[in-house]
Amino acid sequence: MARYGAFLKLITKLASSLFFASFLFACQRGDAPAPEAQGSPLASTSNRVDLHGQWKRWIDTPRLRDEALDKMAHLPRFGYGRRATPEEIADIDIDVMPDGTGLPEGGGSVARGKTLYTAQCVQCHGADGRGADYEALVGREPGDEFRFAETADHTITVGNYWPYATTLFDYIRRAMPQAVPGTLPPDDVYSLVAYVLYLNKILPEDATLDRQSLPAIAMPARDRFVYDDRTGGPEFR
C-alpha cells in the first residue's frame, strides 16, 4: 500500500507539471485575436501644465511616446485578457497635478472636515493629527526649517514636508478611509484636506476649499524641492 500511495503521488505531480507547462505554452502562442486598433489614451495627457514651465513627461513627447508604443507592440501576446474600455480607464485616471489639473468639481470646509475626521480618521492618526496607530499628519518646524537632510529619523508630516496641497487631495481620495478606500465623494475629500491643513496652521478655521483655491495654497515646504532635469545618465547640475 505504501508503494502504491507513493506511486499515486508521483503521477499526480507529473500531471500537474504537464498541465502547467501546456498552459504556459498555450498562453505564449498568442492564439487569441489581436485587439482592435484604437487611438492611444496616452495622447490625451498632452495638455497638462507645469507651474514652472519645466514639467515635461516622456508621455508628452511624441518621439518618446511613439518609441514606447512601438516596443509595447512587440511584446508577446499571452492569449487572455482584453483592452480596457474608456470607462474603465476613466475610473482609475484620477491623478491630480500640482497645478490642480484633475481636481473634480465640489468644495468643502474646515468645519465639515473636523466632523469627518472625528468619524473616520482619529483612530489611526490621533485626535490632533499627530499620530496614533499610524503616521502623524500634523507638525510644523520652527521657522519652517527643513532638516530632513540632517537626520534620517525626522518625522515627515503634511505640514513640514509635502510641497503641494493637491497631493493631499489625491492621496485621501485614492486611499482613505483605510477600510473602504476610494469611497469618499469630492466634497468630503475637500473638507478633510481643509481640516488637515487647518491643523497644520496653513488655513484659518473658517476656510473653504474647491478646485480653484486648493492649488493656490503655498505649502511651507513648497520651495524645498527642485525638478530633476538631468539628462544623459548620472550627471549632476
Side-chain angles (χ1 to χ4, degrees):
M1 287 297 292
R3 290 183 179 180
Y4 181 69
F7 177 73
L8 283 179
K9 288 182 180 180
L10 177 62
I11 293 298
T12 302
K13 287 183 179 180
L14 287 174
S16 298
S17 299
L18 288 172
F19 173 78
F20 185 69
S22 62
F23 172 76
L24 289 179
F25 178 74
C27 289
Q28 293 175 353
R29 275 187 358 191
D31 293 333
E36 296 180 3
Q38 298 181 12
S40 170
L42 301 181
S44 64
T45 62
S46 59
N47 59 351
R48 288 178 177 169
V49 180
D50 172 31
L51 291 174
H52 300 279
Q54 302 177 34
W55 195 13
K56 204 67 177 172
R57 296 184 172 188
W58 72 268
I59 206 172
D60 296 318
T61 305
R63 179 181 62 81
L64 295 177
R65 183 178 67 239
D66 291 344
E67 289 178 358
L69 291 175
D70 183 63
K71 291 178 181 178
M72 291 169 61
H74 291 85
L75 292 175
R77 294 194 182 95
F78 293 103
Y80 59 89
R82 59 174 175 77
R83 185 184 295 273
T85 66
E87 293 75 19
E88 289 170 332
I89 294 172
D91 284 341
I92 60 174
D93 185 19
I94 59 172
D95 52 319
V96 177
M97 302 294 107
D99 65 346
T101 300
L103 283 171
E105 294 289 349
S109 66
V110 171
R112 169 67 175 160
K114 181 178 181 179
T115 300
L116 292 167
Y117 184 91
T118 301
Q120 299 276 13
C121 316
V122 67
Q123 61 268 32
C124 291
H125 299 289
D128 57 358
R130 296 184 180 274
D133 292 338
Y134 289 89
E135 290 81 359
L137 304 174
V138 176
R140 293 276 293 275
E141 300 301 315
D144 287 328
E145 294 179 1
F146 198 75
R147 297 185 292 162
F148 296 97
E150 302 170 7
T151 173
D153 59 358
H154 199 49
T155 300
I156 292 176
T157 72
V158 173
N160 68 13
Y161 189 86
W162 291 31
Y164 304 112
T166 50
T167 306
L168 186 56
F169 185 100
D170 188 287
Y171 185 81
I172 291 175
R173 178 164 66 162
R174 291 176 185 276
M176 296 291 121
Q178 186 185 48
V180 281
T183 59
L184 294 171
D187 289 353
D188 286 358
V189 180
Y190 278 115
S191 296
L192 285 168
V193 171
Y195 184 63
V196 172
L197 295 179
Y198 160 72
L199 291 177
N200 279 285
K201 304 185 185 305
I202 296 171
L203 289 181
E205 191 171 6
D206 61 350
T208 60
L209 287 179
D210 55 26
R211 65 185 306 182
Q212 282 76 41
S213 57
L214 178 56
I217 295 172
M219 298 291 282
R222 173 65 184 82
D223 296 325
R224 301 291 187 174
F225 295 82
V226 296
Y227 288 100
D228 185 354
D229 56 3
R230 293 171 293 174
T231 59
E235 299 175 1
F236 291 86
R237 288 177 289 178

